[in-house]
Amino acid sequence: MKKGQLLYEGKAKKLYATDEEQVIWAEYLDQATALNGARKDEIKGKGELNNQITSEIFLYLSDKGIENHFIEKLSKTEQLIKKVEVIPLEVVVRNLAAGSFSKRLGITEGTVLPEPILEFYYKEDALDDPFINEAHIAFLKIAAPEEIRLIKEAAEKVNQELIRLFQQIGLELVDFKIEFGRQADGTILLADEISPDTCRLWEKESGASMDKDNYRKQLGDLVPVYREVLQRLTKISV
Ligand code: TMP
């Protein structure tokens, strides 16, 4: 497989074409952002940790029957993925109150939600990724009602499997964000990344944040925390 021209440069990765039309070459960068990109820092080693963690998680989800865009890990910082047209939605699933949910609704962080709560955000930097509902999604023609039904079903399955996965390594899955895309034939596929950048993970014993909140809240260095998550994941996947 040959790496082709740069197609996209995002906050945390670069995407390149390949000599196969439906395959993309993704490179994870040593970059962290917060506040929708207003704060940005280079963090050495983050790219390779997220590439490896995301690869482990997508392989695990494939094994559990959840189709996704991951093809194979190429190197410490690179992976091959299936080409999709990204649907501009951030799909957030919450098991415990935290972050913007706690702030918006005045609910103490750590409150256990009786049922997982699914939320949609419109991925549009110029609008600061606003919180939207299904009527907004239909009005903006972001996705068809049937696509939304499939996305919600997949998000619930991902939540159940990730809760189980992280439980096995002593971590509580507080919430996470996933994204979906359309393949050339129109079918919906789980895409983007799943890593401590996109999940809130609390260590069960200590309650410590094992995720990007260390950067968002300036609690400490991300790299040792992400390394610990990767080490725990690779131990159980052997
Ligand atoms: P929030 O509490 O800030 O809304 O975040 C909910 C979850 O979604 C949390 O695990 C972090 C993740 N997330 C992203 O991955 N990207 C984003 O742009 C935002 C706002 C949240």
Side-chain angles (χ1 to χ4, degrees):
M1 181 83 46
K2 266 202 227 140
K3 189 172 173 180
Q5 68 175 103
L6 178 67
L7 299 174
Y8 165 86
E9 180 163 1
K11 290 171 195 149
K13 23 185 154 24
K14 285 182 179 172
L15 302 181
Y16 297 87
T18 66
D19 45 353
E20 261 187 55
E21 173 59 29
Q22 297 308 320
V23 178
I24 299 289
W25 187 301
E27 182 190 345
Y28 279 67
L29 308 175
D30 281 344
Q31 206 153 267
T33 59
L35 310 168
N36 211 7
R39 186 150 69 87
K40 192 166 155 181
D41 290 288
E42 191 188 329
I43 299 185
K44 260 211 150 355
K46 175 174 174 288
E48 67 179 67
L49 288 164
N50 272 351
N51 181 49
Q52 291 175 82
I53 293 170
T54 294
S55 300
E56 289 289 333
I57 292 177
F58 277 133
L59 281 173
Y60 168 85
L61 291 177
S62 299
D63 189 52
K64 301 294 174 195
I66 300 174
E67 267 193 80
N68 59 73
H69 74 161
F70 181 77
I71 301 174
E72 66 172 308
K73 183 153 72 72
L74 292 172
S75 72
K76 283 189 168 173
T77 57
E78 297 162 301
Q79 58 180 253
L80 291 181
I81 54 179
K82 292 181 187 164
K83 186 179 189 173
V84 294
E85 172 210 352
V86 175
I87 297 172
L89 280 180
E90 297 198 332
V91 181
V92 170
V93 181
R94 302 180 187 272
N95 296 306
L96 274 71
S100 70
F101 180 92
S102 289
K103 206 179 257 179
R104 186 182 319 115
L105 302 177
I107 308 292
T108 310
E109 289 216 323
T111 304
V112 177
L113 305 175
E115 292 290 332
I117 291 181
L118 187 145
E119 299 174 345
F120 293 110
Y121 295 83
Y122 179 28
K123 252 172 82 84
E124 180 56 65
D125 282 344
L127 300 174
D128 255 349
D129 299 348
F131 183 41
I132 58 173
N133 65 25
E134 289 178 48
H136 298 120
I137 294 172
F139 170 71
L140 294 168
K141 298 191 167 52
I142 294 169
E146 175 59 11
E147 290 180 319
I148 290 300
R149 193 186 65 74
L150 292 170
I151 285 173
K152 285 165 66 175
E153 204 177 278
E156 277 167 30
K157 272 195 210 149
V158 170
N159 187 37
Q160 285 162 15
E161 295 301 344
L162 289 185
I163 288 174
R164 255 180 242 145
L165 172 68
F166 288 118
Q167 172 108 23
Q168 288 175 64
I169 59 170
L171 301 177
E172 178 121 54
L173 178 63
V174 176
D175 55 36
F176 62 93
K177 183 267 301 180
I178 47 178
E179 297 183 23
F180 293 84
R182 293 182 192 97
Q183 298 185 90
D185 65 1
T187 50
I188 300 277
L189 197 62
L190 175 64
D192 195 51
E193 73 174 90
I194 303 179
S195 71
D197 269 13
T198 64
C199 300
R200 269 196 186 92
L201 302 167
W202 292 352
E203 191 172 49
K204 286 210 188 248
E205 281 197 5
S206 65
S209 284
M210 302 287 286
D211 55 47
K212 196 176 158 186
D213 272 352
N214 285 284
Y215 174 74
R216 294 189 191 99
K217 300 181 178 174
Q218 296 176 292
L219 302 173
D221 191 359
L222 279 190
V223 168
V225 169
Y226 284 30
R227 195 176 292 130
E228 174 71 24
V229 173
L230 177 62
Q231 270 169 5
R232 292 190 194 190
L233 275 175
T234 42
K235 259 186 211 151
I236 60 152
S237 64
V238 177

